Amino acid sequence: MPNTHPHIDMPTNDDLRRLSNDRPESIAQLYLEAHALIVETEPNVQYSVDQVDLGIGYGARQFGYDGWGMMAVTPFTKWVTITFLMGAHLPDPTNILEGSAPHMRHVKLKSLEQFEDARAAIKNLILEAAQYHS
């Protein structure tokens, strides 16, 4: 049986805060804000967090580039990435999505100010991703 990272299904904000305590405070806050926007936008979405890399996968069943999952949020040392697993297939009128993979696209967030400036566009992408995966 392959080794897998332990996950927490439907983690609380306290869980996410505890797991991200080794990240810079601004990145940990950005991680929590991105998660909150997703859950506020799609309150019934199922999600789980990888306790090693802190990636939160959103969507039913499995998470991966094959379209089963909807999106992921991952905190790095200097930014937080919101990955839309089928982002290449979503309308992006503000052109905030980055990447050139066949299916995946991402938004790389480096500050809370950048996140606030992009909030409406990200919310629209969340809604589009939920519609795509429904």
Side-chain angles (χ1 to χ4, degrees), residues 38-134:
I38 294 167
V39 173
E40 289 166 11
T41 304
E42 284 297 320
N44 295 320
V45 70
Q46 297 293 305
Y47 53 93
S48 88
V49 64
D50 181 314
Q51 293 184 63
V52 176
D53 68 21
L54 308 187
I56 307 170
Y58 301 86
R61 295 171 275 206
Q62 73 185 60
F63 307 111
Y65 63 87
D66 61 0
W68 289 77
M70 189 169 73
M71 67 183 60
V73 172
T74 307
F76 295 92
T77 304
K78 296 183 179 183
W79 65 81
V80 171
T81 299
I82 303 174
T83 303
F84 293 88
L85 299 173
M86 297 300 278
H89 308 281
L90 303 178
D92 179 24
T94 60
N95 295 313
I96 65 168
L97 289 174
E98 300 178 42
S100 59
H103 302 290
M104 287 192 288
R105 295 289 185 273
H106 65 275
V107 177
K108 186 185 283 187
L109 300 166
K110 295 182 178 181
S111 70
L112 285 171
E113 295 79 19
Q114 180 193 11
F115 174 70
E116 289 305 325
D117 289 345
R119 178 183 283 274
I122 294 168
K123 183 174 183 170
N124 286 336
L125 286 167
I126 295 165
L127 292 168
E128 292 289 346
Q131 180 65 34
Y132 184 90
H133 291 282
S134 65

